[in-house]
Amino acid sequence: MRYFKKLVGEKCYLSPINIDDHEQYTEWLNDLEITSNLGASRGVIALNTEREYLEKLSREHNYAIIDKETDTLIGNCGFHKIDTISRNAEIGIFIGNKDFWDRGYGTDAMKQLMKYGFDHLNFRNIMLKVFSFNERAMASYRKCGFKEIGRRRNSILMYGKEYDDVMMDILDDEFRKLINN
Ligand SMILES: CC(C)(COP(=O)(O)OP(=O)(O)OC[C@H]1O[C@@H](n2cnc3c(N)ncnc32)[C@H](O)[C@@H]1OP(=O)(O)O)[C@@H](O)C(=O)NCCC(=O)NCCS
């Protein structure tokens, strides 16, 4: 597959999405261990629909996460709900290749995307939502400087239990302080 080094971090780089990766994405998005964290476990994701979806995503600020050492696709991250007037956005990420979990790739990819969002898209605030059971994601987001700003309580019903939707955000100057220290 062909990837392009748009944003380069320590462990990975972010490239425009290659829609020919739809089969790999379809495999990941049928893995409940991954999709339960994304709120996507109730959807049906087939090859053709995933390709169409990737086509749409590839025209917006969504990027493939590529391992620098091997040039292989390991996941995806991007901005959504971009508000160009108030200059804010939501951010999201998943690493589909589970061999790469807990090795700092998620934090590295998020920091690159956040830097791009603040430096080039001129965002003032970036926000995200995460399920309260997703301790790994929250630990990674805290390393990127995100702080919890509130919870929608008991809004997620999964595994026979209720969980919260946790909201976290960061301002541009807070991020700049973090990366310059
Ligand atoms: C969430 C995700 C992007 C994080 O990326 P990652 O590369 O695995 O995360 P990192 O290695 O950068 O950081 C994870 C941190 O969580 C810690 N962690 C892992 N499991 C944990 C747990 N159960 N409780 C607390 N901390 C935990 C790790 O030790 C690590 O912290 P450290 O570097 O201080 O040791 C990735 O795991 C993923 O895509 N998961 C599946 C999909 C998903 O959850 N997406 C996010 C939806 S909001």
Side-chain angles (χ1 to χ4, degrees):
M1 278 317 159
R2 192 75 207 281
Y3 302 112
F4 302 91
K5 291 182 175 154
K6 177 159 175 168
L7 304 169
V8 182
E10 281 169 29
K11 294 164 182 278
C12 57
Y13 64 91
L14 304 188
S15 163
I17 289 174
N18 187 329
I19 59 168
D20 290 334
D21 280 322
H22 65 295
E23 196 163 335
Q24 176 63 87
Y25 281 96
T26 306
E27 187 187 321
W28 290 336
L29 294 172
N30 280 287
D31 181 338
L32 292 178
E33 199 184 353
I34 296 169
T35 55
S36 57
N37 295 299
L38 304 172
S41 57
R42 289 88 187 251
V44 180
I45 293 140
L47 269 180
N48 58 336
T49 47
E50 184 54 27
R51 190 175 172 90
E52 283 166 21
Y53 189 54
L54 280 184
E55 242 166 11
K56 180 180 174 296
L57 289 184
S58 69
R59 284 191 286 270
E60 297 159 8
H61 282 294
N62 297 290
Y63 296 95
I65 306 171
I66 310 296
D67 173 32
K68 245 168 117 172
E69 219 174 278
T70 57
D71 282 317
T72 51
L73 175 70
I74 62 165
N76 184 272
C77 60
F79 289 117
H80 53 280
K81 296 192 183 165
I82 294 176
D83 179 338
T84 53
I85 296 174
S86 293
R87 293 171 31 211
N88 60 57
E90 290 190 21
I91 195 166
I93 182 168
F94 81 91
I95 294 181
N97 185 331
K98 292 186 269 188
D99 293 340
F100 285 83
W101 285 6
D102 285 335
R103 291 169 55 190
Y105 280 81
T107 304
D108 190 31
M110 283 288 277
K111 282 187 178 168
Q112 292 169 55
L113 188 61
M114 291 163 75
K115 189 169 187 318
Y116 178 67
F118 288 129
D119 285 352
H120 295 273
L121 305 179
N122 296 326
F123 295 148
R124 297 161 58 244
N125 176 301
I126 297 175
M127 186 188 125
L128 59 82
K129 289 183 188 166
V130 55
F131 297 155
S132 54
F133 58 76
N134 197 346
E135 297 288 350
R136 175 184 291 110
M138 282 190 281
S140 166
Y141 299 153
R142 280 192 287 268
K143 287 195 287 178
C144 296
F146 282 97
K147 290 196 184 85
E148 184 177 327
I149 51 168
R151 286 175 179 237
R152 185 176 185 188
R153 294 165 300 162
N154 298 347
S155 56
I156 309 300
L157 183 58
M158 224 186 291
Y159 308 115
K161 286 188 190 163
E162 288 173 335
Y163 298 94
D164 301 339
D165 226 341
V166 180
M167 275 147 272
M168 303 175 90
D169 81 351
I170 185 166
L171 299 174
D172 50 354
D173 58 343
E174 291 169 346
F175 181 72
R176 290 201 171 97
K177 254 182 231 157
L178 178 90
I179 58 165
N180 292 327
N181 279 335

